[in-house]
Amino acid sequence: MRIAVVEDDKATREKTVEYIRRFRQENSLEISVEEFADGRELIGGYTRRYDLIFLDIEMRELNGMAAAEKIRKVDEQVLLVFLTNMSGYAIRGYAVRAADYILKPLTYELFSVRMKEWTGRIARRKKNSVLIARGEETICLSTDQIYYLEIISHRLIYHTDHGNIEVWGKLKDAEEELAGKGFSMCNKCYLVNLQYVQKVTKNEVQVGQDSLIISRPRKKEFMQALARYIGEN
């Protein structure tokens, strides 16, 4: 889990980072945190790498609300939490889909309770989503949108409910990323979302509207994965 803290007041920034690290230790979580003294520092070369961003609303160079507006143009997923001395910004926060507000001065008790909510949301989203890097853009897909993945040479093709997404990659890497999310290989070229399996014949599996070959070496493992998936769901 990656968190950014954007706060021009050094004492508040350090306290927020301290609280994050304390929460990380108490809950045995893997969390990395980066610090920024102004919104402009964060926005410069921004990429979709954070799960949660704490933003001070009142900063000298680029305030938190303006930074949030810029972030939302390229990142729909990240949770934005405003740090503020005043509650009057709540209405404006709807425009940038702020996840929450924390009033200063911070107390660890309140911070810890809210962090459990935020990290829970992030964990649920990560469990059921995948990030796909294509050139300079990153696409976030729910696993429910993916029918199956196909590899042709070094081209990795995601067959989705919105059409095909093609990137350079390895099917093995995708299989590792989707482990535990209801996917199984039916042969060395296809990674199937088991929730979309319609029918299995002797050497084919129908996934949505497509029929894919099941290889003999993979069939036993594939059928066991399918049986487990049906039993669990």
Side-chain angles (χ1 to χ4, degrees):
M1 195 174 300
R2 295 180 175 181
I3 298 177
V5 178
V6 190
E7 166 66 69
D8 63 352
D9 181 74
K10 184 179 180 181
T12 302
R13 186 172 68 249
E14 290 178 347
K15 179 176 286 189
T16 305
V17 172
E18 176 191 338
Y19 285 174
I20 292 170
R21 289 172 176 162
R22 178 177 168 183
F23 181 85
R24 175 181 64 190
Q25 183 174 4
E26 290 179 353
N27 294 275
S28 301
L29 297 174
E30 292 185 12
I31 298 176
S32 64
V33 58
E34 295 181 43
E35 302 177 47
F36 300 89
D38 190 83
R40 199 173 301 281
E41 291 183 14
L42 173 71
I43 293 303
Y46 181 86
T47 59
R48 295 172 57 173
R49 63 185 182 275
Y50 300 110
D51 300 295
L52 171 61
I53 299 176
F54 291 98
L55 282 167
D56 178 25
I57 288 185
E58 296 178 311
M59 292 182 284
R60 288 184 292 274
E61 294 293 326
L62 183 68
N63 67 54
M65 197 64 68
E69 290 171 354
K70 293 181 181 296
I71 289 169
R72 280 292 180 240
K73 290 180 180 179
V74 295
D75 193 341
E76 295 288 334
Q77 299 294 322
V78 65
L79 295 188
L80 301 178
V81 175
F82 287 116
L83 305 173
T84 179
N85 292 312
M86 298 174 288
S87 59
Y89 286 98
I91 300 294
R92 287 188 62 193
Y94 285 114
V96 293
R97 295 176 299 287
D100 213 337
Y101 290 81
I102 291 289
L103 292 176
K104 302 175 187 178
L106 303 178
T107 65
Y108 182 72
E109 290 71 21
L110 174 61
F111 182 86
S112 177
V113 169
R114 304 289 262 279
M115 273 290 284
K116 287 179 181 178
E117 296 176 7
W118 303 325
T119 54
R121 287 177 60 180
I122 293 166
R124 288 190 295 272
R125 186 180 69 203
K126 282 180 174 288
K127 182 179 179 181
N128 298 304
S129 66
V130 60
L131 293 177
I132 303 171
R134 184 172 65 179
E136 295 184 354
E137 69 174 339
T138 302
I139 302 167
C140 182
L141 281 181
S142 166
T143 54
D144 289 340
Q145 295 176 275
I146 304 171
Y147 297 125
Y148 65 95
L149 286 75
E150 178 181 12
I151 190 74
I152 300 176
S153 296
H154 295 291
R155 291 181 292 120
L156 186 60
I157 304 169
Y158 291 76
H159 293 261
T160 80
D161 58 358
H162 285 76
N164 295 347
I165 299 172
E166 187 174 318
V167 297
W168 293 102
K170 297 179 180 179
L171 192 58
K172 182 175 178 58
D173 292 341
E175 182 185 18
E176 292 176 357
E177 184 177 9
L178 292 165
K181 298 181 180 181
F183 287 74
S184 181
M185 300 272 288
C186 67
N187 66 43
K188 65 180 183 180
C189 297
Y190 299 114
L191 179 63
V192 173
N193 189 342
L194 297 173
Q195 69 172 301
Y196 291 115
V197 171
Q198 303 293 317
K199 179 174 63 176
V200 177
T201 60
K202 184 177 180 179
N203 62 351
E204 288 188 348
V205 54
Q206 184 177 337
V207 184
Q209 301 299 313
D210 297 339
S211 292
L212 311 177
I213 299 296
I214 304 176
S215 66
R216 184 177 299 175
R218 294 273 184 177
K219 186 167 185 179
K220 181 179 179 180
E221 183 179 345
F222 180 79
M223 295 305 295
Q224 288 175 342
L226 180 60
R228 283 196 303 271
Y229 179 83
I230 293 172
E232 293 171 358
N233 294 276

